[in-house]
């Protein structure tokens, strides 16, 4: 298979990074073949009755990359540009992410190709329930546990949980995570990914000898992950001088009031027009003189074309796959410290794991306990990645991938082949 990392296809980048990692680990070829590609892929074409009475056919996917260490785990996104390759990439990243932070899950991902912003609640509920019934043959608390992703949320998870429970004939809260608290959701889950980003940022600052209270930061993307990251960066003392969303970028050299900005976005749907901030171009945003840069938007944002212009000392990848392999090389050469995505944004799946455990036990934890457990997981994984990076004299992405892939390979080797 020819891999082209210039196409913008994140799956090509995933496969390229795996090949580099497998070669560095001197991974047994038979094991490498078993863990490189997804175990299972399901594509479904299903009808949904729209509000005008017409029936529309939608295409959905669910990919399970590897279940050697436990059930598949991963989000479901509703998006017009969703593809099977996106699911493959994100499911693979999730496998490595879970292994890196020591969670007994493998990677999964699902999507439906649709335009959610043009659909009302009636249509979204019909879409979600029918999609759930189509993929119900491969999901379940012991098999594959979905969660929210782009344009899905707690309400979406409630519909999935209810539909799956109706099929089974009894309540199955553990089939999804990211649910409302009223039906078994976990305290701390909604903000977990952003909290994890900030815990990882604190680790990086401490490692580099930076006082986070004297740093300036910028956050690309102001959805759930970006807004929460910005909020807690500011709470820890970093001056957040710039943020961006799908509509543009804003900056205030004296620091943005993030709590006010979050409320403004809730009211208006965009960061543009926020009082006391100037609009800047995306190129200016990428090139800002900050200490901490958190890309929390989409894939392929840091490329070989702009990586050399980045002035940030630390990049903490809140998004999956925001940096291309060529850009990785440039950043490492220029001394930019990178906290890779499978570590930086592992907070969400970590607290999803906590939610799943609480559902199985029917015993729920305090939010302070959850946040403390999350921080312990991120700090431990960070230290392990740094130790490998120093020992092997490699960048942090390769170090993280080596640790994760080695753990999955060990599980596959120990389990053997059946029959």
């Amino acid at each position: 298979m020819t891999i082209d990392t210039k196409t913008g296809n994140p799956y090509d980048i995933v496969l390229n990074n795996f090949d580099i990692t497998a070669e560095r680990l001197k991974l047994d070829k038979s094991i490498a073949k078993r863990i490189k590609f997804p175990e299972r892929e399901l594509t479904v074409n299903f009808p949904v009755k729209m509000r005008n009475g017409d029936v529309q056919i939608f295409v959905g996917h669910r990919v399970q990359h590897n279940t050697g260490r436990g059930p598949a785990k991963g989000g479901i996104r509703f998006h017009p540009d969703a593809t099977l390759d996106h699911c493959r990439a994100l499911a693979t990243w999730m496998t490595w992410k879970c292994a890196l932070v020591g969670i007994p899950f493998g990677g999964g991902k699902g999507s439906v190709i649709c335009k959610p912003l043009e659909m009302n609640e009636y249509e979204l509920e019909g879409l979600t329930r029918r999609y759930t019934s189509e993929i119900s043959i491969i999901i379940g608390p012991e098999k594959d546990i979905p969660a929210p992703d782009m344009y899905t949320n707690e309400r979406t998870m409630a519909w999935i949980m209810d539909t799956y429970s109706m099929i089974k004939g009894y309540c199955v809260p553990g089939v999804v995570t990211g649910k409302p608290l009223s039906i078994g959701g976990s305290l701390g889950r909604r903000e977990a990914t952003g909290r994890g980003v900030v815990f990882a940022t604190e680790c990086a600052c401490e490692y580099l000898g930076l006082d986070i209270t004297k740093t300036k930061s910028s956050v690309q993307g102001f959805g759930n992950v970006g807004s929460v990251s910005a909020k807690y960066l500011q709470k820890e003392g970093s001056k957040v001088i710039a943020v961006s969303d799908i509509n543009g970028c804003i900056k205030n050299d004296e620091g943005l009031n993030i709590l006010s900005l979050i409320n403004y976005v809730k009211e208006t749907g965009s960061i543009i027009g926020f009082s006391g901030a100037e609009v800047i171009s995306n190129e200016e945003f990428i090139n800002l003189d900050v200490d901490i840069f958190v890309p929390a938007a989409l894939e392929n944002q840091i490329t070989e074309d702009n990586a050399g212009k980045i002035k940030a000392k630390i990049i903490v990848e809140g998004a999956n796959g925001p940096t291309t392999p060529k850009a990785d090389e440039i950043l490492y050469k220029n001394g930019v410290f990178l906290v890779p995505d499978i570590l930086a944004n592992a907070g969400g799946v970590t607290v999803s794991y906590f939610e799943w455990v609480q559902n199985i036990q029917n015993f729920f934890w305090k939010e302070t306990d959850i946040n403390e457990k999350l921080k312990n997981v991120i700090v431990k994984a960070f230290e392990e990645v740094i130790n490998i990076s120093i020992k092997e004299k490699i960048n942090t992405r390769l170090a993280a991938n080596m640790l994760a892939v080695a753990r999955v390979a060990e599980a596959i080797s120990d389990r053997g082949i059946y029959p």
Side-chain angles (χ1 to χ4, degrees), residues 269-307:
S270 172
I271 63 172
I272 302 301
F274 182 64
S275 177
E278 63 174 300
V279 175
I280 61 175
S281 69
N282 187 62
E283 183 178 0
E284 289 177 281
F285 180 85
I286 292 288
N287 298 340
L288 284 171
D289 187 7
V290 293
D291 301 289
I292 300 160
F293 173 36
V294 179
L298 297 172
E299 304 91 357
N300 302 316
Q301 298 300 300
I302 304 173
T303 68
E304 59 186 300
D305 296 327
N306 60 25

Side-chain angles (χ1 to χ4, degrees), residues 189-209:
R189 172 61 184 87
R190 188 180 301 170
E191 294 190 326
T193 306
R195 279 186 183 275
V197 166
V198 176
F199 288 152
T201 303
E202 290 177 306
C203 288
C205 286
E206 183 178 350
Y207 174 70
L208 296 175

Side-chain angles (χ1 to χ4, degrees), residues 149-153 189-195 197 218-232 242-248 258 261-263 265-266 269-271 285 294-298 318-319:
D149 194 72
M150 293 177 67
Y151 297 112
T152 58
N153 53 31
R189 172 61 184 87
R190 188 180 301 170
E191 294 190 326
T193 306
R195 279 186 183 275
V197 166
S218 61
V219 179
Q220 183 188 48
F222 208 68
N224 176 265
V225 177
S227 62
V228 173
S229 298
K231 181 175 78 170
Y232 284 107
V243 301
S244 72
D245 68 5
I246 193 170
N247 299 297
I258 298 301
L261 180 57
I262 289 172
N263 290 329
V265 171
K266 287 179 181 177
S270 172
I271 63 172
F285 180 85
V294 179
L298 297 172

Side-chain angles (χ1 to χ4, degrees), residues 52-248:
N52 62 3
D54 289 345
V55 173
Q56 186 172 333
I57 303 299
F58 291 88
V59 179
H61 305 291
R62 186 68 185 177
V63 174
Q64 296 169 352
H65 174 255
N66 189 280
T67 56
R69 288 171 45 86
K73 185 80 188 76
I76 290 174
R77 63 175 51 182
F78 293 167
H79 199 279
D81 299 324
T83 67
L84 183 56
D85 266 359
H86 267 97
C87 284
R88 289 166 174 157
L90 291 160
T92 307
W93 272 317
M94 186 61 85
T95 297
W96 310 142
K97 193 179 300 184
C98 292
L100 178 67
V101 297
I103 292 171
F105 285 147
K109 198 71 182 182
S111 67
V112 178
I113 302 169
C114 63
K115 297 180 179 179
L117 297 181
E118 297 179 9
M119 300 171 70
N120 66 12
E121 186 165 302
Y122 167 81
E123 292 169 328
L124 288 170
E125 181 174 358
L127 177 87
T128 301
R129 290 185 180 276
R130 186 56 191 252
Y131 172 67
T132 302
S133 68
E134 296 286 343
I135 67 168
S136 63
I137 56 175
I138 65 169
I139 66 171
E142 298 85 18
K143 295 192 292 186
D144 184 352
I145 306 114
D149 194 72
M150 293 177 67
Y151 297 112
T152 58
N153 53 31
E154 291 182 357
R155 187 65 192 273
T156 316
M157 296 305 107
W159 289 331
I160 294 174
M161 179 256 191
D162 182 69
T163 303
Y164 186 84
S165 296
M166 292 302 103
I167 293 170
K168 289 296 183 181
Y170 53 90
C171 186
V172 190
V175 67
V176 291
T177 59
K179 304 179 293 297
L181 293 175
S182 62
I183 55 172
S186 175
L187 295 167
R189 172 61 184 87
R190 188 180 301 170
E191 294 190 326
T193 306
R195 279 186 183 275
V197 166
V198 176
F199 288 152
T201 303
E202 290 177 306
C203 288
C205 286
E206 183 178 350
Y207 174 70
L208 296 175
L210 291 177
D211 181 350
I212 196 169
T213 65
K214 297 178 181 179
T215 62
K216 294 186 295 183
S217 55
S218 61
V219 179
Q220 183 188 48
F222 208 68
N224 176 265
V225 177
S227 62
V228 173
S229 298
K231 181 175 78 170
Y232 284 107
L233 278 171
Q234 189 169 80
K235 186 176 180 180
E236 293 304 319
S238 182
K239 184 186 291 184
V240 183
I241 67 166
V243 301
S244 72
D245 68 5
I246 193 170
N247 299 297

Side-chain angles (χ1 to χ4, degrees), residues 8-26:
N9 183 344
Y11 192 47
D12 290 331
I13 294 174
V14 166
L15 296 178
N16 181 73
N17 284 336
F18 176 82
D19 288 340
I20 293 170
T21 305
E23 182 177 353
R24 183 80 186 201
L25 287 169
K26 296 181 172 54

Side-chain angles (χ1 to χ4, degrees), residues 40-55:
R40 185 176 292 108
E41 301 175 348
L42 176 64
T43 297
V44 294
N45 299 277
F46 58 94
V48 177
K49 184 176 285 188
M50 310 303 284
R51 58 181 177 266
N52 62 3
D54 289 345
V55 173

